[in-house]
Amino acid sequence: MSPNIVLVVVIGVLFTVGVYLLLERSLSRVLIGVILIGNGANLLFLIAGGAAGAPPIVGDAPVSEMSDPLPQAMVLTAIVITLGMTAFLLAMAYRSWQLHRHDEVQDDVEDRRIARLAAIDEHAFTDRDTEDAGETLDDEAAETRDETDEVLRGAEPAPSPGGPGPDDASGDAGPADPEERP
């Protein structure tokens, strides 16, 4: 079964207009955009579900004539999600109207500052981790001491100062000051 071309065009128009409205600054237009995208998704689920059939109740009709219940469950879920988003956006638009007497989302001061810096191609701050400090990774790797190298070469780690070494069988640590040793 091929889907009705009119419904496919309607789905495309709903998604297109919904995305266009989502990109606006007015919360009421964003709200309408979310509703249109939700309705487009519901239609898409129903079209993808195939032809209508008998109710999916075992014993009422043969299995081959039953409709698939999964798209219907997905549409119900999408309706609930759209309802939640609508309530949230309505609350935001109402609060914005109470505070500012309009529902337009304004630019943040920090966003404007970063946009200005990006326009003149400057950094907002100095990043000491990624700025060129003159050292390469090879130089840093040569300076770094790795304990696994000693184990791989078979060398034992150096004894701690003032304490007995691992080969000291007598247990006598000797004088605490290394200059007093013979």
Side-chain angles (χ1 to χ4, degrees), residues 23-82:
L23 298 175
E24 295 289 325
R25 289 206 174 266
S26 173
L27 285 175
S28 58
R29 291 183 183 190
V30 170
L31 174 67
I32 294 170
V34 166
I35 292 171
L36 289 177
I37 288 177
N39 288 334
N42 293 344
L43 277 177
L44 181 65
F45 285 140
L46 289 178
I47 293 291
I57 300 172
V58 177
D60 284 353
V63 175
S64 61
E65 294 177 6
M66 289 183 188
S67 64
D68 187 12
L70 182 63
Q72 297 169 9
M74 291 179 72
V75 166
L76 286 174
T77 304
I79 289 171
V80 170
I81 291 170
T82 304

Side-chain angles (χ1 to χ4, degrees), residues 47-110:
I47 293 291
I57 300 172
V58 177
D60 284 353
V63 175
S64 61
E65 294 177 6
M66 289 183 188
S67 64
D68 187 12
L70 182 63
Q72 297 169 9
M74 291 179 72
V75 166
L76 286 174
T77 304
I79 289 171
V80 170
I81 291 170
T82 304
L83 179 68
M85 287 293 296
T86 301
F88 177 69
L89 286 171
L90 273 174
M92 281 181 42
Y94 180 70
R95 183 65 178 164
S96 177
W97 180 260
Q98 280 183 332
L99 293 176
H100 306 293
R101 291 293 176 209
H102 60 80
D103 67 342
E104 195 168 300
V105 178
Q106 300 294 319
D107 279 339
D108 188 27
V109 176
E110 185 68 16

Side-chain angles (χ1 to χ4, degrees), residues 69-162:
L70 182 63
Q72 297 169 9
M74 291 179 72
V75 166
L76 286 174
T77 304
I79 289 171
V80 170
I81 291 170
T82 304
L83 179 68
M85 287 293 296
T86 301
F88 177 69
L89 286 171
L90 273 174
M92 281 181 42
Y94 180 70
R95 183 65 178 164
S96 177
W97 180 260
Q98 280 183 332
L99 293 176
H100 306 293
R101 291 293 176 209
H102 60 80
D103 67 342
E104 195 168 300
V105 178
Q106 300 294 319
D107 279 339
D108 188 27
V109 176
E110 185 68 16
D111 290 341
R112 288 187 199 151
R113 186 179 74 81
I114 291 173
R116 239 188 344 266
L117 290 173
I120 59 176
D121 199 24
E122 277 190 29
H123 296 290
F125 61 92
T126 303
D127 188 6
R128 294 185 182 132
D129 292 339
T130 59
E131 294 294 323
D132 189 15
E135 289 187 6
T136 64
L137 288 177
D138 294 330
D139 296 336
E140 290 179 13
E143 292 175 7
T144 304
R145 180 177 168 267
D146 190 7
E147 291 84 15
T148 58
D149 288 342
E150 294 172 358
V151 173
L152 292 176
R153 285 185 293 208
E156 294 190 18
S160 62

